Amino acid sequence: MHDRERPSFEDSNNVTVQRCFYAYEFAREYIRDKDTADIGCADGYGTQYLADYTRSTVGVDYSEATIEIARKKHAAKTNLSFKAGKVPPIPLEDNSKDVVTAFQFIEHIEDRIGFIKDVYRVLKPGGVFICTTPNIKMSIARNPFHVHEYTFDEMQKEISSVFSDFEIQGLQGNEKVNNYYEENSRWAKKILKLDPLGIHKIVPASWLITPYNFLTSMMRKDLKEKNNDTLNITSKDFFITKDRLDFTWDIFVVAMKK
């Protein structure tokens, strides 16, 4: 698994944070008073939100150091716990959870089918899996933290190989959001002109992490200064749709174990 992108709450990252947090708010109707697991939880910034509505929530992350930070940061929430473990396998018992969430996680791991199968194992009968991941058709450049980005067709094929009952939709933004990402795209394409041979697509991902982080931070800070909506965009500026899926930002999966 590639070392993940850490959540960052600087002002310049507001749009990314709001886009990611939409998924946690979306999950609220499924998790209320349920036993849940949040896979790829990092320091629990979203997991702790889920715990406000659940009977119990466990966050899972591969990094013991990150899990220890999460435990200390969210110690006041008695229905919230954390476990460290490289996924798959998920370090949870069979048929133990009503809901499993995995937001912006599956693109970071090698054994994605194995992960989906393990989610099925962990879910109780009637349990729900909610998964989000970027839509590769809207990606401009290679993200060195991602092992694989999905098309909707790829996700349909993989989810249907494990779950028979599921729905796939897309996360879209309103005009403010889409204008922001249009400016983002123009900025990224200027940088890509410096790599006309597409070398960034074939070198080891580890070579790209430092320049990727530097350029992404520079781009977002620049957009914050030039786009007045950057700090005003909230999760309410995003919505789920079944229309023009290839032009949506994220793939949203809701699958049920029968």
Side-chain angles (χ1 to χ4, degrees):
M1 179 167 67
H2 294 185
D3 192 20
R4 98 186 129 246
E5 302 154 279
R6 306 277 176 167
S8 173
F9 297 96
E10 300 168 5
D11 285 350
S12 58
N13 288 331
N14 178 61
V15 179
T16 300
V17 169
Q18 299 300 328
R19 172 176 165 181
C20 292
F21 209 79
Y22 178 93
Y24 288 97
E25 294 178 342
F26 173 88
R28 196 165 53 201
E29 66 178 281
Y30 295 92
I31 64 170
R32 196 175 298 276
D33 299 324
K34 301 291 180 64
D35 295 315
T36 67
D38 184 32
I39 313 301
C41 67
D43 69 352
Y45 76 104
T47 319
Q48 60 84 27
Y49 173 85
L50 299 180
D52 286 342
Y53 302 94
T54 64
R55 179 166 54 231
S56 70
T57 297
V58 56
V60 176
D61 192 275
Y62 78 93
S63 169
E64 181 65 58
T66 302
I67 286 298
E68 191 56 36
I69 291 170
R71 288 177 180 139
K72 291 177 180 178
K73 185 180 288 189
H74 308 296
K77 296 195 175 185
T78 57
N79 68 331
L80 176 60
S81 61
F82 294 92
K83 288 189 175 184
K86 185 178 179 181
V87 175
I90 301 169
L92 298 172
E93 296 179 356
D94 296 0
N95 304 306
S96 61
K97 299 300 173 186
D98 298 296
V99 181
V100 173
T101 57
F103 299 143
Q104 309 298 78
F105 168 76
I106 196 170
E107 66 273 12
H108 293 266
I109 60 175
E110 297 283 354
D111 187 6
R112 294 173 295 281
I113 289 289
F115 170 62
I116 296 169
K117 289 179 178 177
D118 215 40
V119 169
Y120 192 92
R121 173 188 65 80
V122 167
L123 284 172
K124 299 175 184 178
V128 174
F129 175 40
I130 310 174
C131 173
T132 71
T133 191
N135 169 20
I136 192 173
K137 291 191 176 182
M138 297 298 281
S139 296
I140 303 301
R142 178 185 178 188
N143 184 324
F145 297 101
H146 295 176
V147 176
H148 178 79
E149 292 186 1
Y150 282 86
T151 65
F152 277 86
D153 287 343
E154 286 174 327
M155 181 57 76
Q156 171 98 13
K157 181 178 179 181
E158 293 194 5
I159 287 292
S160 65
S161 71
V162 180
F163 288 86
S164 59
D165 186 358
F166 63 90
E167 183 175 33
I168 298 180
Q169 299 182 80
L171 179 71
Q172 186 54 277
N174 62 17
E175 186 176 2
K176 287 193 299 184
V177 169
N178 294 338
N179 285 341
Y180 173 87
Y181 279 117
E182 186 175 333
E183 293 178 22
N184 181 306
S185 176
R186 285 197 293 268
W187 209 102
K189 287 175 180 177
K190 288 180 182 178
I191 298 299
L192 289 176
K193 287 181 180 179
L194 302 176
D195 182 23
L197 299 178
I199 300 300
H200 78 283
K201 296 179 181 179
I202 58 176
V203 299
S206 60
W207 294 11
L208 299 175
I209 288 175
T210 298
Y212 177 88
N213 283 340
F214 174 76
L215 291 170
T216 299
S217 177
M218 182 186 297
M219 175 182 67
R220 290 177 181 170
K221 288 177 181 177
D222 186 55
L223 289 179
K224 185 190 77 169
E225 298 302 319
K226 294 179 178 178
N227 186 320
N228 293 330
D229 286 326
T230 301
L231 301 183
N232 297 324
I233 289 172
T234 74
S235 60
K236 293 180 173 58
D237 292 305
F238 293 89
F239 59 93
I240 295 295
T241 182
K242 295 181 181 178
D243 298 328
R244 303 180 74 230
L245 290 177
D246 283 346
F247 297 94
T248 57
W249 301 110
D250 292 328
I251 299 170
F252 257 68
V253 179
V254 179
M256 181 179 292
K257 177 177 178 178
K258 290 189 172 180

